[in-house]
Amino acid sequence: MNHSDESPRLGHQQWRGFFVTLKAVNLRHMSVYVMLSLGSALAGSIVAVLLVTLVQPGHALVLGGRIFDMPGSTDAHATVFAAVTMVFALLRWQAARLGASLSSRYGMELRRTVHARLMDAPLTSLADATSAEIANVLTYNVEIITQGFNALLQLLVAGVTAIVSLGFAFWLSPTLMLATPLLALFALAASRISSREQSRVSRQYVADMTRLFWMSEDFPRRLRHVRSFGREDAEKAAYNTISARLGQGYRRQLELIASGRLTFELLAAVGIAAIFMLACRLQGVNQATLIAVCVLLGRLLPYLLLTRQSFQQLRSAGPAFELWQQYVKLDASHTPPMTPQTACVSDSLHIKRVRLAPPLAAIDIRDLQLMPGKMMLIFGDSGIGKSSLIDVLGGMAVPDVFIARMEGRPMGFDEYRKLVGRGAYVSQGVRPWHRSVRECLLWANASATESTMLEALADVGLDKRLAESFDGLDTTLDSSSSRFSGGELQRLLLAQVILRQPFLALLDEATSALDAGSERSVLLAIKRRLPQSIMIVVSHRRSVAEIADHCLFLGDPGAMDQALMQKAHQGSA
């Protein structure tokens, strides 16, 4: 396989889009970074020139056709050399710190941008997206792009350093420019400097990345849940918090690397100064010139390795950036966020006709009656479009045809969306992503008291489970000692619905992990606790029809028994 031919690269459009994202980086800080890189390159090259005067006290040098004579004793020369070297090291250290800050801010803005666009995207635009791909876009994919941005910064430093160092080397002694670069070993030693803090920061970074992936898992289903509870802003805030922590971790990792390099270079400055003071007395002039050139060339060898690595990272960032752009370009011009509209509990909503728009399933429903305090069961074969219908009834997808009346007056879909804006959507595929039971319940209702939370947990049958835990409401959801089963997690989400007190509760196979008896008990408890809510339940179990007030069957009714058909007919009448 020819990797050079198949290596992913940034195309013209991708490069244009990539440079557009650089607006997230402060241009003034970027200019300072360039100046610091140039200053460190100049300081490093001046150090090499000072080496010659250090081992030739009292002798003027001819550099570039001009006489260079530095007055003072050898000790004074050594002091100047050490001072300039420290300035060089400090400039380079500060440039590395600023580069870390730029990379951190760049990655944070990439995450915020794509997450905000996903939160605002219409569900139809995510129809072909997989949860794994979306989770990757929100986590590791942005990391790869950030590494590509950091690679560009490294290439900038390498280019500036190479131009300045080679210019000084040719100017100093072209004949000795190819001398063996012994001091290149210092760069290898510096790359191995580590610390306990760096290990701790790396572990925390991995933990935060795992947490971010967990928050991003199964995004399309979770998005319905979030929107139905009206918690988009809370999710954006939580995501921004974890993104900021990841940015800080990434910045700290790069800062620690820069600090290790600073330690090495400061020690090298003192050591080289001492070596040249001895070399002046014992070895003579020629070796000083040789070592000066070696310093210039030796400084370039690590940059050669970094340049190769940076180009590899830049190539890897190509497909990652293309995927990021694909989601950032999602159409965000969906209907505005749902604002709940107050409705009288006795209001009966008659949907005369609703037909789903492509690419949703071809479903055309007529004469659907929705009443507060009543439960409607939607059942049918798998893949027939029950979840698509739930999306429309929840106001999260726009239908092709929608004709409804309320209290004898017509109602458009925009008004309907406002009416059902205070909703609660729970699907069998959604799992709580919160740390504890308390955090999960407060997410649904921030003003809920401990007694109301415990009462809701009792209604869904989780009170005994928490009574066995020493932490009570603070029991964690993801620890090995208190891991919840699939059925218990579904019960917890249903407790959210009770605390939410929605106008419309959509339970899309939200009790699939419960046995038939538990399912019946929990649904009856929810119906009792939500006397002012419309309940729409999707289930494959016929036993749910026994407690439903109305039934809607999608598919061939010939497959249903006579009693269930009669129930469905009564519900649609």
Side-chain angles (χ1 to χ4, degrees), residues 73-117:
S73 63
T74 301
D75 293 341
H77 292 180
T79 302
V80 173
F81 164 79
V84 176
T85 304
M86 289 182 181
V87 169
F88 156 72
L90 288 171
L91 287 173
R92 191 175 177 186
W93 173 65
Q94 187 59 39
R97 283 176 55 87
L98 183 56
S101 179
L102 291 172
S103 297
S104 169
R105 185 180 297 109
Y106 181 76
M108 181 176 62
E109 289 301 324
L110 287 182
R111 289 191 179 95
R112 286 177 175 174
T113 300
V114 71
H115 182 263
R117 184 54 59 92

Side-chain angles (χ1 to χ4, degrees), residues 412-428:
F413 188 70
D414 288 340
E415 184 181 356
Y416 171 80
R417 289 186 78 250
K418 293 181 179 180
L419 181 67
V420 301
R422 183 173 177 81
Y425 170 93
V426 180
S427 168
Q428 65 173 339

Side-chain angles (χ1 to χ4, degrees), residues 494-559:
L494 293 173
Q496 282 187 334
V497 176
I498 295 176
L499 292 174
R500 170 73 165 165
Q501 290 291 306
F503 177 78
L504 175 64
L506 303 169
L507 309 182
D508 188 0
E509 299 191 50
T511 54
S512 59
L514 305 180
D515 58 74
S518 298
E519 178 182 48
R520 177 187 178 94
S521 176
V522 170
L523 289 177
L524 285 174
I526 295 175
K527 181 181 177 182
R528 184 180 66 254
R529 289 294 304 276
L530 302 178
Q532 301 179 12
S533 302
I534 297 173
M535 281 186 64
I536 299 180
V537 179
V538 175
S539 178
H540 288 286
R541 294 173 178 169
R542 300 183 180 185
S543 59
V544 179
E546 299 175 3
I547 61 174
D549 298 289
H550 305 282
C551 296
L552 174 64
F553 179 64
L554 302 179
D556 182 12

